[in-house]
């Protein structure tokens, strides 16, 4: 009677056949060892390594080097929502995420990540650490641009569009969740155009709702699509909710970033642009400021600027990035598409005009401010009832303006009961004989998109100036 061998010392495999070899080699018959056939039961071939490189893996790998972690300390006081009433202000550790949008070290993040932080600490994907400077911020949009002086060019995140997002499409969130750096979560777009009130002081409009987990520390990090393009900036989690996160659409975020970066521009060009709207490269010139370098160069409304200094333009942010480090007097080659023809032009950057009268030094002497008029098209970004304003281009140290905290980039829109549309308006106010009767004088400024009110004393300064 045949018996089953007690053991086998090795196993070899051929397609469709399992062969047992060794001293006791299978079923013992008088004829010795035989082959047992089991049909087509061959073990599957080992999975290829490429099978593991899913679209999500590829998306993360393409963007990860442009994502940074942000740390810092801030004071949390009784007026802050997380602090209990009557609690003594204390230092707390903050954390968040940022994304490189320019190879020279410009990073976009949420305003609340860097608000009140004295030393903004940034860690790159390779572990290098830097201290960042706050360039500009927009508290209403909860966005800020910071900059580090990196030792080499930084990788820039691939930027997509949020204009064609579809409910149900896959998305990936990356960030410093709860201090766990470079945490990756995935989900889908759950809804579009959501309004969220996070606190009494902060609300958001037109957010992307996602099912990807977004936790404290994710703020400021990218929301990626399956192609690895940034289509949003992670911003908020609804308290107590599961699988509900939110992000600022990338189109809005890049529009805000364009305005924030403009304060770094040294040379004036006078071009107002917008995207083509048809998905094609290039920027449509919507307006050209009078007597500007652009007008003198021959740039016209309706032109489509395709390249500046051989750099292709996709969105208005690209124009600001290209001209960031260029100074007045510098010549910049550009190509425009006009009536289906390609036209090469040479733009010579200028200095912002003073638009001042004979008393143009009065704001500097009495307030410590150098002012220049904001072009009408540019002022529309503030969506305010003010008719215009004056950009602060310089502040004299220890001046009345400096003591009140004004700084470069602020936009002065009013003093006392008068609007300050031009430098002549400011001269009129400072020359009034009843100036002492209205002191300390109220003033109103836009800092990014937020209106602030302050008071300044200038009558004594006027007396000293005249003497």
């Amino acid at each position: 009677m045949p018996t089953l061998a007690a053991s086998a010392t090795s196993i070899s495999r051929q397609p469709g056949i399992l062969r047992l070899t060794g001293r006791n080699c299978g079923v013992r018959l008088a004829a010795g060892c035989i082959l047992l056939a089991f049909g087509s039961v061959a073990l599957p071939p080992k999975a290829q390594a490429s099978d593991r490189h899913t679209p999500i893996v590829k998306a993360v790998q393409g963007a990860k080097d442009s994502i940074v972690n942000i740390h810092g300390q801030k004071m949390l006081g009784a007026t802050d929502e997380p602090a209990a009433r009557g609690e003594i202000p204390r230092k707390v550790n903050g954390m968040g995420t940022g994304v490189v949008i320019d190879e020279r070290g410009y990073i976009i993040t949420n305003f609340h990540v860097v608000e009140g932080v004295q030393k903004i600490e940034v860690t790159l994907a390779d572990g290098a650490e830097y201290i960042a400077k706050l360039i500009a911020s927009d508290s209403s949009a909860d966005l800020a641009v910071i900059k580090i002086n990196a030792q080499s060019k930084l990788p820039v995140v691939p930027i997509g569009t949020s204009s064609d997002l579809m409910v149900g499409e896959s998305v990936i969130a990356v960030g410093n969740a709860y201090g766990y750096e470079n945490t990756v979560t995935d989900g889908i777009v759950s809804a579009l155009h959501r309004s969220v009130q996070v606190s009494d002081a902060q609300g958001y409009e037109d957010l992307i709702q996602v099912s990807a987990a977004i936790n404290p520390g994710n703020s400021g990090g990218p929301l990626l699509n399956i192609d690895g393009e940034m289509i949003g900036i992670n911003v908020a989690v609804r308290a107590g909710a599961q699988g509900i996160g939110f992000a600022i659409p990338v189109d809005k975020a890049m529009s805000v970033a364009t305005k924030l970066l403009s304060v770094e521009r040294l040379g004036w060009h006078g071009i107002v642009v917008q995207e083509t709207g048809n998905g094609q490269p290039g920027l449509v010139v919507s307006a050209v400021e009078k007597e500007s370098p652009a007008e003198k160069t021959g740039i016209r409304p309706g032109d489509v600027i395709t390249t500046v200094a051989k750099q292709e333009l996709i969105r208005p942010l690209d124009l600001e990035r290209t001209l960031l480090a260029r100074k007045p007097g510098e010549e910049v080659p550009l190509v425009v598409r006009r009536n289906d023809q390609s036209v090469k032009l040479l733009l010579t950057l200028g200095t912002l005009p003073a638009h001042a009268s004979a008393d143009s030094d009065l704001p500097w002497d009495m307030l410590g401010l150098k002012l220049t008029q904001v072009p009408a098209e540019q002022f529309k970004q503030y969506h305010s009832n003010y008719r215009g304003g004056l950009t602060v281009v310089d502040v004299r140290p220890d001046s009345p303006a400096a003591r009140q905290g004004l700084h470069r980039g602020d936009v002065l829109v009013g003093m006392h009961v008068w609007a300050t549309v031009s430098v002549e308006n400011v001269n009129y106010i400072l020359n009034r004989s009843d100036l002492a009767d209205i002191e300390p004088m109220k003033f109103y400024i836009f800092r990014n998109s937020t209106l602030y009110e302050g008071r300044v004393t200038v009558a004594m300064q006027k007396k000293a100036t005249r003497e």
Side-chain angles (χ1 to χ4, degrees):
M1 181 176 179
T3 59
L4 187 65
S7 64
T9 57
S10 63
I11 299 176
S12 62
R13 184 175 67 247
Q14 294 179 354
I17 296 176
L18 188 66
R19 184 192 303 273
L20 284 76
T21 61
R23 177 171 299 178
N24 299 314
C25 59
V27 178
R28 182 174 297 161
L29 293 173
C33 298
I34 65 168
L35 298 179
L36 297 177
F38 292 93
S40 56
V41 295
L43 297 180
K46 184 178 180 180
Q48 299 297 314
S50 60
D51 294 342
R52 298 169 54 198
H53 286 70
T54 65
I56 291 178
V57 171
K58 293 176 181 177
V60 173
Q61 289 180 342
K64 64 182 179 63
D65 290 339
S66 61
I67 302 169
V68 307
N69 297 303
I70 300 174
H71 299 269
Q73 285 189 336
K74 64 174 70 178
M75 294 299 297
L76 191 66
T79 58
D80 294 302
E81 185 180 2
R85 185 177 296 276
E87 183 179 357
I88 298 174
R90 67 192 190 282
K91 283 187 176 181
V92 296
N93 292 319
M95 58 190 174
T97 309
V99 191
V100 177
I101 57 173
D102 183 85
E103 61 187 11
R104 287 161 289 190
Y106 291 92
I107 297 165
I108 191 168
T109 186
N110 285 140
F111 171 66
H112 74 260
V113 170
V114 296
E115 180 185 12
V117 176
Q118 296 299 316
K119 186 169 71 172
I120 305 171
E121 302 172 11
V122 171
T123 304
L124 303 183
D126 63 4
E129 297 179 347
Y130 296 90
I131 302 300
K133 179 179 74 170
L134 177 62
I135 297 300
S137 60
D138 185 336
S139 58
S140 62
D142 195 17
L143 291 167
V145 172
I146 61 176
K147 184 180 186 298
I148 62 173
N149 294 321
Q151 298 175 350
S152 58
K153 293 182 179 180
L154 300 180
V156 176
V157 68
I159 301 175
T161 179
S162 49
S163 62
D164 59 359
L165 288 179
M166 300 173 289
V167 173
E169 73 170 283
S170 298
V171 290
I172 306 137
V174 186
N176 187 14
Y178 285 109
Y180 293 103
E181 299 180 349
N182 306 316
T183 296
V184 177
T185 58
D186 72 315
I188 61 169
V189 174
S190 303
L192 299 170
H193 312 300
R194 291 296 200 200
S195 297
V196 178
Q197 194 70 32
V198 177
S199 67
D200 292 339
Q202 183 66 62
Y204 300 89
E205 300 291 335
D206 196 30
L207 293 182
I208 306 166
Q209 181 184 329
V210 298
S211 63
I214 296 177
N215 294 295
N218 276 113
S219 292
L223 183 70
L224 307 173
N225 62 19
I226 204 65
D227 294 326
E229 300 170 327
M230 182 170 73
I231 48 90
I233 300 289
N234 303 325
V235 68
V237 177
R238 190 172 180 84
Q242 297 291 327
I244 300 179
F246 297 95
I248 300 170
V250 74
D251 292 347
K252 178 180 180 180
M254 293 302 100
S255 176
V256 173
T258 302
K259 298 169 186 174
L260 298 183
L261 276 180
S262 66
V263 302
E264 289 281 273
R265 190 186 344 115
L266 302 175
W268 177 43
H269 53 72
I271 310 170
V272 181
V273 295
Q274 62 187 35
E275 294 183 27
T276 60
N278 57 12
Q280 297 298 315
L283 298 172
V284 179
V285 178
S286 57
V288 177
E289 296 170 17
K290 291 184 178 180
E291 300 182 2
S292 67
E295 185 181 64
K296 295 175 182 177
T297 300
I299 299 174
R300 310 171 188 171
D303 286 347
V304 177
I305 305 176
T306 56
T307 64
V308 173
K310 298 183 179 180
Q311 296 294 316
E312 187 178 65
L313 305 184
I314 304 296
R315 53 184 55 82
L317 177 66
D318 298 331
L319 179 62
E320 293 299 334
R321 289 175 54 201
T322 304
L323 299 176
L324 268 181
R326 300 180 183 274
K327 299 178 181 179
E330 188 169 349
E331 294 182 334
V332 183
L334 50 84
V335 178
V336 304
R337 190 168 62 247
R338 180 183 296 163
N339 300 325
D340 296 326
Q341 299 291 322
S342 181
V343 181
K344 294 182 179 179
L345 300 171
L346 194 62
L347 173 68
T348 302
L349 296 175
T351 302
L352 284 167
H355 295 288
S357 67
D359 282 330
S360 60
D361 286 339
L362 206 55
W364 179 255
D365 293 337
M366 296 178 60
L367 297 172
L369 292 176
K370 288 287 186 185
L371 302 167
T372 186
Q373 193 169 29
V374 180
E377 283 294 324
Q378 184 179 335
F379 190 79
K380 290 179 180 179
Q381 67 180 278
Y382 296 105
H383 304 290
S384 78
N385 293 324
Y386 287 96
R387 293 183 293 110
L390 300 166
T391 299
V392 176
V393 295
D394 197 8
V395 181
R396 189 178 71 247
D398 200 32
S399 64
R403 289 192 290 271
Q404 294 304 312
L406 274 75
H407 58 64
R408 182 174 176 264
D410 290 341
V411 175
L412 180 69
V413 293
M415 297 180 68
H416 191 46
V417 296
W418 299 287
T420 54
V421 179
S422 67
V423 176
E424 286 81 1
N425 298 149
V426 179
N427 290 336
Y428 165 80
I429 298 167
L430 296 179
N431 271 320
R432 289 185 62 89
S433 59
D434 61 349
L435 188 61
D437 298 333
I438 55 179
E439 296 229 55
M441 186 188 303
K442 283 186 179 181
F443 65 89
Y444 304 89
I445 63 166
F446 274 110
R447 181 164 293 169
N448 301 315
S449 297
T450 303
L451 183 66
Y452 293 93
E453 174 187 323
R455 291 178 180 268
V456 63
T457 301
V458 294
M460 294 303 296
Q461 190 74 20
K462 176 180 180 180
K463 181 180 178 181
T465 301
R466 291 297 172 87
E467 292 177 350

